[in-house]
Amino acid sequence: MRKFLFSSLWLVSGASLFALPFSGTKECSSNYDWDGVSKNWQSDGFANSYVSTSYFLDEGTFPGTGVGAIPDGGPGCGVNGAALDVTFNVTGLTGAVESVEVDFTMTHSWLGDVTATLIAPDGTTSLVIFGRTGTTTPTACGDSSNLLGTYSFSDDVVGTNWWLAAFNAGTDMPAGAYRTTAIGPQGASNFSPETSLNDTFGGMADANGVWTLRFFDAGGGDTGSVTAANLNVVTEEGGGGTGCEWTVTVSDDENCGDEVSWTLTDGGGNVVLAGGPYTCDAYNDVQSVTVEGTMTFYIESIGSFGDNTPSYQISNGTEVVASGQLVGGT
């Protein structure tokens, strides 16, 4: 199990609010690339405001137990046999579920026979991973491709729909990463709507307990087995560590800073860093503080147009979270 920090950067501009998420595997790190600067002209000048909320996530990957042969179904197609239940004993996670991923290695002739469903520890929250692929009626046999490899399912996957991949597969369904899809029958044999693991399980208050990956075979004569499975669960821990080392840099090497001021405020409304007004000489103000939780950075310039042009940069200890330049005044 590993812990890492998740940060969500909010840009406030006028009456609009946009969420810009990023995450990383190190404390306060980010793979988010800043792509814009707020421009909120006010009657007394020019100001930008950024709010950054950071919280820790727990993550664990748990191996499945109970793998083996999937009992054959039938007679004919559309009649489930007994279930094969592969279980995952999830322990040690703190906080509500943020995301879920699952993978399994299996072989089975005639893909259209198979349904795989993930069931949460509460026994009622569940999602079909895929099922009755290629069927257009309840008694249809569906896609004839063979399952042969490792298949992973995550909301992060972008690419070919599971049903379309099966339709185009020929003999064997390609191993790889896919989105979950709704169970058949569907209106066409080459498409089923994508579903969401995170929408289904996200927000569950407690991830711990026994999760079940249930397999059914709904056709006689074709058989298969599951040889391995893994469940990855990420939860929002809501805090931890000593926080990020926030660093604010405000500078101007050409113009006055006599009407430039800024603040960095924590979630309780306490100003933890502040700067300005500055002299008319060049200045480079660098200040740092280590703190957890929601942080708001606000900077304003209220002078005549163009006479205060501060550049600013805010970093979280690893990467730059926001940066820009104000051209003061109206």
Side-chain angles (χ1 to χ4, degrees):
M1 192 190 324
R2 61 189 173 90
K3 286 182 169 38
F4 58 95
L5 185 83
F6 180 92
S7 298
S8 180
L9 181 68
W10 299 83
L11 166 60
V12 182
S13 177
S16 299
L17 184 65
F18 305 94
L20 304 170
F22 57 93
S23 64
T25 57
K26 296 184 292 185
E27 274 197 10
C28 307
S29 70
S30 157
N31 60 15
Y32 173 72
D33 295 322
W34 181 252
D35 62 1
V37 175
S38 135
K39 295 189 175 181
N40 179 20
W41 286 96
Q42 300 179 355
S43 59
D44 60 349
F46 188 78
N48 282 359
S49 182
Y50 303 92
V51 183
S52 179
T53 302
S54 302
Y55 54 91
F56 285 82
L57 300 181
D58 247 347
E59 179 180 10
T61 299
F62 304 89
T65 60
V67 297
I70 304 171
D72 198 17
C77 296
V79 180
N80 282 336
L84 170 69
D85 284 349
V86 178
T87 58
F88 310 90
N89 186 23
V90 175
T91 60
L93 296 182
T94 305
V97 174
E98 180 80 16
S99 65
V100 173
E101 301 177 2
V102 65
D103 69 75
F104 44 85
T105 303
M106 66 178 300
T107 60
H108 199 289
S109 55
W110 208 284
L111 166 59
D113 286 359
V114 182
T115 297
T117 303
L118 183 63
I119 306 168
D122 62 12
T124 57
T125 306
S126 64
L127 181 70
V128 171
I129 305 301
F130 66 84
R132 304 297 321 285
T133 305
T135 59
T136 55
T137 67
T139 57
C141 295
D143 190 88
S144 63
S145 303
N146 300 315
L147 290 162
L148 185 64
T150 299
Y151 304 92
S152 62
F153 296 86
S154 164
D155 282 7
D156 293 336
V157 176
V158 177
T160 304
N161 181 274
W162 172 266
W163 278 44
L164 181 59
F167 183 83
N168 293 329
T171 303
D172 297 327
M173 180 67 172
Y178 295 91
R179 286 289 300 270
T180 56
T181 48
I183 194 171
Q186 296 291 332
S189 61
N190 64 350
F191 179 78
S192 177
E194 292 180 345
T195 55
S196 172
L197 286 159
N198 297 344
D199 286 351
T200 301
F201 301 108
M204 290 178 53
D206 187 4
N208 297 300
V210 177
W211 294 65
T212 301
L213 183 60
R214 179 165 292 163
F215 293 88
F216 281 114
D217 180 326
D222 289 279
T223 59
S225 62
V226 179
T227 57
N230 295 284
L231 179 70
N232 179 270
V233 182
V234 175
T235 60
E236 179 185 336
E237 188 177 355
T242 58
C244 299
E245 183 182 3
W246 296 96
T247 300
V248 176
T249 302
V250 178
S251 62
D252 196 329
D253 58 5
E254 294 182 358
N255 296 295
C256 291
D258 58 324
E259 293 170 303
V260 172
S261 61
W262 60 269
T263 57
L264 186 69
T265 307
D266 68 16
N270 304 301
V271 175
V272 295
L273 293 178
Y278 302 100
T279 68
C280 277
D281 298 322
Y283 60 92
N284 182 43
D285 187 6
V286 182
Q287 299 185 40
S288 297
V289 65
T290 299
V291 65
E292 281 190 89
T294 300
M295 303 299 295
T296 300
F297 174 74
Y298 177 83
I299 185 169
E300 67 176 6
S301 175
I302 59 174
S304 301
F305 183 82
D307 74 342
N308 290 274
T309 56
S311 297
Y312 56 88
Q313 176 177 288
I314 309 99
S315 69
N316 62 7
T318 302
E319 298 179 69
V320 175
V321 176
S323 62
Q325 183 179 38
L326 295 185
V327 181
T330 55

